């Protein structure tokens, strides 16, 4: 007589579910602290900088870090630490403004496309799809070259380049919320579309907006630095980080500190923002 085969357990038959992201609060605290330090430096650099960032001393060219210059000097004898502090203000002003522009425009378009639907959704999304096909960096360089080298032009161009990405994310979240009973009930009660978007849908997609805000901020910091490196941001000789990397790259072998200091500053900001973005996404996904 054959023995009956044991039945497979229900756990084995159930497909494994994706594990929730592990949150590491201490990482977020360190990243937030680092960003706060850079913000304070950008606000108070005139008091904290040991020297005038534009003061030249040709007798002190390419001094290595140490002594009276903690981060050394560049080809004109300018203090690298002072220039690093002075350059923080540009990226920490332009990048957040560009991110804010992308969020406002993208959230508005995403809510409209996801709520109104039909022909408006098609017009908005097909236009944004056409924009996304064109290489972002090429479009950004062309637009900045046309508008001129100014902080306002960089804000407009960088912010506009992120609008399609924000719009797509907000539209997807809005479509999910739009089909829920509370949204249908609001329409049946005669609530206007603008009221439905602002009072009902927007509070429920705010998590998506926050995730996009942190994600796009890191992208904006890198984009602003890239434009400055290519000579399309701040003018040559300014203490802007991207410009400093571009101006000193010819001296990388002889005076690497002139390039490494601003490059590491850019990297620290981008990495810290990415860590905060990952934590925000984990918090929202765990709700």
């Amino acid at each position: 007589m054959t023995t009956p085969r044991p039945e497979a357990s229900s756990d084995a038959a159930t497909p494994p579910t994706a594990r929730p992201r592990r949150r590491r609060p201490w990482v977020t605290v360190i990243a937030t602290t680092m960003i706060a330090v850079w913000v304070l430096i950008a606000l108070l650099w005139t008091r904290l900088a040991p020297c005038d960032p534009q003061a030249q001393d040709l007798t002190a060219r390419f001094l290595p870090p140490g002594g009276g210059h903690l981060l050394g000097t560049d080809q004109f004898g300018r203090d690298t630490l002072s220039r690093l502090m002075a350059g923080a203000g540009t990226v920490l002003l332009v990048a957040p403004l560009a991110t804010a522009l992308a969020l406002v425009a993208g959230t508005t378009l995403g809510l409209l496309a996801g709520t109104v639907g039909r022909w408006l959704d098609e017009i908005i999304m097909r236009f944004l799809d056409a924009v996304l096909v064109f290489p972002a960096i090429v479009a950004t360089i062309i637009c900045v070259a046309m508008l001129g080298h100014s902080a306002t032009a960089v804000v407009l161009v960088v912010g506009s380049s992120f609008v399609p990405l924000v719009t797509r994310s907000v539209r997807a979240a809005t479509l999910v919320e739009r089909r829920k009973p509370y949204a249908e009930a609001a329409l049946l009660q005669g609530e206007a579309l603008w009221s439905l978007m602002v009072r009902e849908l927007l509070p429920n997609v705010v998590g998506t907006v926050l995730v996009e805000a942190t994600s796009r901020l890191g992208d904006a910091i890198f984009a602003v630095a890239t434009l400055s490196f290519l000579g399309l941001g701040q003018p040559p000789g300014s203490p802007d980080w991207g410009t400093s990397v571009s101006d000193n790259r010819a001296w990388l072998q002889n005076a690497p500190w002139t390039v490494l200091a601003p490059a590491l500053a850019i990297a620290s900001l981008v990495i810290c923002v990415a860590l905060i973005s990952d934590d925000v996404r984990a918090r929202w996904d765990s709700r």
Side-chain angles (χ1 to χ4, degrees):
M1 185 176 68
T2 59
T3 57
R5 298 176 60 185
E7 295 182 359
S9 62
S10 57
D11 293 340
T14 304
T17 57
R19 292 183 179 180
R21 295 182 178 219
R22 292 179 58 189
R23 290 184 49 226
R24 298 174 180 173
W26 61 271
V27 174
T28 305
V29 171
I30 294 175
T32 305
T33 303
M34 178 66 72
I35 293 176
V37 169
W38 279 122
V39 171
L40 288 176
I41 290 174
L43 295 174
L44 304 175
W45 72 266
T46 53
R47 299 181 181 180
L48 299 176
C51 306
D52 182 354
Q54 298 290 23
Q56 300 184 13
D57 184 5
L58 296 181
T59 62
R61 297 175 69 243
F62 297 129
L63 290 180
H69 302 280
L70 293 180
L71 294 181
T73 60
D74 62 7
Q75 72 269 30
F76 296 110
R78 298 174 297 193
D79 185 67
T80 303
L81 177 59
S82 300
R83 292 179 61 79
L84 187 71
M85 291 181 173
T90 303
V91 67
L92 288 174
L93 173 64
V94 175
L97 287 177
T99 305
L101 173 63
L103 288 176
V104 172
T107 301
T108 302
L109 291 175
L111 285 171
L112 285 172
T115 305
V116 178
R118 299 179 182 176
W119 58 270
L120 183 60
D121 184 20
E122 287 294 322
I123 292 176
I124 293 175
M125 299 313 298
R126 296 297 77 77
F127 174 76
L128 295 181
D129 287 343
V131 172
L132 285 174
V133 170
F134 202 76
I137 186 63
V138 176
T140 302
I141 292 174
I142 293 174
C143 292
V144 171
M146 292 174 59
L147 295 176
H149 298 189
S150 66
T152 303
V154 174
V155 169
L156 292 174
V157 173
V158 174
S160 300
S161 66
F162 295 144
V163 169
L165 301 176
V166 178
T167 301
R168 292 169 70 94
S169 297
V170 175
R171 172 184 175 271
T174 303
L175 287 175
V176 173
E177 297 296 327
R178 176 68 175 79
R179 298 187 180 97
K180 292 185 177 180
Y182 76 89
E184 298 294 339
L187 287 178
L188 291 176
Q189 292 176 0
E191 190 167 357
L193 281 178
W194 70 266
S195 179
L196 175 66
M197 287 188 295
V198 176
R199 296 181 180 178
E200 305 292 343
L201 297 177
L202 180 58
N204 289 286
V205 300
V206 69
T208 301
V209 176
L210 290 176
V211 172
E212 284 293 320
T214 51
S215 298
R216 299 310 146 213
L217 179 58
D219 295 340
I221 292 172
F222 190 77
V224 171
T226 300
L227 289 176
S228 296
F229 177 81
L230 296 174
L232 298 173
Q234 298 298 310
S238 70
D240 177 79
W241 292 346
T243 304
S244 295
V245 173
S246 178
D247 291 344
N248 295 294
R249 58 181 172 170
W251 317 104
L252 181 59
Q253 293 183 346
N254 298 328
W257 55 87
T258 59
V259 176
L260 290 178
L264 290 176
I266 296 170
S268 67
L269 264 183
V270 173
I271 292 173
C272 288
V273 172
L275 291 173
I276 294 175
S277 175
D278 189 67
D279 184 68
V280 172
R281 190 184 301 273
R283 287 174 180 268
W284 182 250
D285 291 343
S286 63
R287 291 185 55 181

